Amino acid sequence: MVSMLSIIEAKKNKAPLDETQIQFWVDGVVNESIPLYQSASLLMAIRLNGMTFEESWLLTKAMTASGDRLHYDQHPIVVDKHSTGGVGDKVTLVLAPLVAACGVPVAMLSGRALGFTGGTIDKLESLDGVQCELPEPTLMKMMDEVGWVNAQPSSRIAPADRALYALRDVTGTVDSIPLITASIMSKKLAGGATHLCLDVKCGSSAFMKTESSASELAHALCRVGELGGVKVGGVISRMSEPLGFAIGNYLELWEAVQYLKSWPQSPLASLIEALAIRMLLMYDPSISDPRAQLMNAIDRGAALESLKRYLAFCGGKKTAVQHLVEDDLGWGNARPVLAPKDGYVDTIDGHGLALDALALGAGRMTKEDRIDPMAGFMLRVGIGDRVEKGDPLMHVFGDRAGDADPLLLGRHFGIIPQARPATSLILASVDP
Ligand code: URA
């Protein structure tokens, strides 16, 4: 007879778990018949002793089947994107409307901010009226009317992951490739897409610190996708500085709008282009010039319209959407952080900035905390830029901007006498 104790003992002794054992555990997590301390013990045994690829796949399968699975039946191809997360990561806010404006159905499920990590849902909901927690039938309607879906998953999508992720978060068991694989892919398989474009981050403030561990995770995600019937490919990208200039919910939404309006050239634009091109080719491999299609969607205003349509569908007030598109951010009320010396910007500590933005109200320390949508930073410089002493490095926004200490904030910028050669954000491509 299977028991939770025998499963823990097996993993403690490095034996692979079989389908019956994994199913027993996942069922017990969802119906709460297994105490959290036993799941915590098994998670730590997995974290320390690993899982074979077969076990990771069986866990993904059981976690996916623990809840509902979305189906966009009228669309034979639906494309999703997953990023393992980064400071200032507003890629989804640009990518989804851009790709959808080229006629590709896009379906994504996104999360909220907790700790220093940002959440796409909080960024979208920073606009007055927008509400992204929607029931499943509304998502089908959203796909029909908007052309793309992004929403907070209901508690019926992969409930086993919801319970296990919360436990991993407080038991030091997040950083396990088989567990990350099952966690990500169970939500992706349940989310209803047929194709998944990955942006696996690697660097000091990412889950994966080295390119080789990022590559290992990316390949596990591809293999699990293949078994689950979802084609997966993408890129591995560098995550050692904030993505783009804005850090903070409304500020990031505002920056996304600037990309959809005029496509400024930047490392972030290159990353979004690489992902968008992959998504277009996943939808139709015969497209001969995907970049031209993307730029055409920007130039004729279709990409921006697509975001506006989405925000209106989710309840965004007409005046708020209009204001977002025309907003100049009122720089006069923001607090500048000035360069302490002449030189070239060599490093920007994204993790440090994210923690300070959190302290100013841009995120939540606990699930119940209220976010100040305007709180955050707008960087005025990027890596490699020349600065003179007294030039603004960034501006601080939000109700509590007055609490910020500009001198301390300035320490997140490394300034050196000579510029170093620029490096691309993209480190490698990931092919199925
Ligand atoms: N993101 C997830 O959804 N799950 C993990 O385990 C890690 C990152």
Side-chain angles (χ1 to χ4, degrees):
M1 223 209 35
V2 189
S3 74
M4 190 58 192
L5 185 57
S6 67
I7 297 172
I8 297 169
E9 292 283 356
K11 187 44 73 183
K12 185 177 80 178
N13 294 317
K14 304 190 179 164
L17 304 179
D18 64 21
E19 187 157 15
T20 311
Q21 291 170 310
I22 288 176
Q23 192 65 54
F24 177 90
W25 177 39
V26 170
D27 288 345
V29 166
V30 176
N31 66 28
E32 296 180 3
S33 60
I34 293 175
L36 291 180
Y37 56 79
Q38 284 194 312
S39 285
S41 172
L42 180 58
L43 285 168
M44 187 53 85
I46 294 171
R47 162 66 183 80
L48 296 176
N49 291 336
M51 273 184 147
T52 63
F53 174 73
E54 172 73 6
E55 288 174 282
S56 182
W57 158 240
L58 292 173
L59 182 58
T60 311
K61 203 162 62 138
M63 282 167 55
T64 308
S66 70
D68 292 353
R69 207 164 167 170
L70 302 178
H71 295 281
Y72 296 93
D73 288 334
Q74 68 283 38
H75 299 286
I77 297 182
V78 174
V79 182
D80 188 357
K81 185 270 312 180
H82 181 80
S83 159
T84 52
V87 175
D89 187 349
K90 68 277 299 171
V91 169
T92 296
L93 307 177
V94 184
L95 187 67
L98 173 60
V99 171
C102 298
V104 177
V106 176
M108 299 185 191
L109 297 173
S110 300
R112 289 185 186 279
L114 188 61
F116 82 92
T117 61
T120 298
I121 296 298
D122 292 311
K123 294 171 196 184
L124 290 161
E125 289 187 358
S126 67
L127 196 82
D128 198 12
V130 172
Q131 216 280 99
C132 302
E133 238 177 293
L134 301 165
E136 286 165 19
T138 308
L139 303 187
M140 309 300 141
K141 193 163 169 262
M142 184 188 268
M143 183 64 100
D144 290 343
E145 291 182 15
V146 178
W148 55 281
V149 169
N150 192 14
Q152 178 172 28
S154 80
S155 55
R156 291 157 51 154
I157 300 287
D161 178 61
R162 193 171 272 250
L164 286 178
Y165 194 84
L167 197 53
R168 287 167 61 210
D169 209 21
V170 292
T171 53
T173 51
V174 169
D175 58 344
S176 148
I177 288 183
L179 293 176
I180 295 176
T181 303
S183 167
I184 293 175
M185 290 310 292
S186 60
K187 287 174 289 208
K188 293 295 159 188
L189 297 182
T194 57
H195 292 68
L196 172 63
C197 181
L198 289 177
D199 177 10
V200 179
K201 305 281 188 201
C202 134
S204 51
S205 35
F207 281 124
M208 298 295 122
K209 308 290 178 214
T210 62
E211 193 175 335
S212 72
S213 60
S215 171
E216 195 186 328
L217 173 62
H219 286 100
L221 296 169
C222 288
R223 285 178 72 196
V224 166
E226 202 172 304
L227 293 175
V230 171
K231 289 208 169 56
V232 184
V235 300
I236 295 174
S237 66
R238 197 161 48 81
M239 170 56 219
S240 45
E241 72 234 20
L243 270 176
F245 291 103
I247 301 171
N249 294 294
Y250 182 83
L251 300 177
E252 293 188 37
L253 185 58
W254 181 86
E255 188 180 17
V257 166
Q258 311 316 304
Y259 277 92
L260 295 173
K261 272 160 100 169
S262 63
W263 209 249
Q265 284 309 301
S266 68
L268 175 61
S270 310
L271 174 63
I272 298 176
E273 258 177 59
L275 297 169
I277 287 171
R278 276 203 170 250
M279 289 168 84
L280 258 57
L281 292 174
M282 281 174 162
Y283 181 70
D284 180 0
S286 73
I287 294 175
S288 61
D289 192 348
R291 188 175 186 280
Q293 278 205 17
L294 296 169
M295 293 308 113
N296 183 267
I298 303 274
D299 292 344
R300 63 192 162 83
L304 181 59
E305 275 311 309
S306 177
L307 179 65
K308 285 163 71 179
R309 215 166 33 247
Y310 171 89
L311 294 170
F313 184 95
C314 295
K317 301 229 168 80
K318 214 171 164 183
T319 47
V321 176
Q322 188 74 13
H323 180 70
L324 171 70
V325 172
E326 291 166 5
D327 196 359
D328 62 6
L329 282 187
W331 293 92
N333 297 327
R335 197 139 180 236
V337 171
L338 305 178
K341 57 182 176 187
D342 297 351
Y344 291 87
V345 179
D346 185 50
T347 53
I348 303 177
D349 174 9
H351 186 235
L353 285 171
L355 289 174
D356 286 335
L358 172 65
L360 292 174
R364 298 184 186 84
M365 306 271 197
T366 72
K367 277 191 196 158
E368 289 71 35
D369 283 351
R370 196 194 72 82
I371 286 182
D372 170 7
M374 274 309 290
F377 307 129
M378 281 300 292
L379 305 186
R380 309 307 302 272
V381 293
I383 302 288
D385 285 355
R386 165 93 196 146
V387 289
E388 309 287 331
K389 182 175 176 186
D391 283 351
L393 295 171
M394 68 174 188
H395 276 84
V396 186
F397 286 77
D399 291 345
R400 282 157 44 197
D403 298 348
D405 179 340
L407 281 180
L408 284 181
L409 288 171
R411 295 196 189 145
H412 294 309
F413 295 78
I415 298 175
I416 55 169
Q418 293 293 328
R420 277 198 270 191
T423 49
S424 163
L425 279 183
I426 299 177
L427 297 171
S429 70
V430 179
D431 296 301

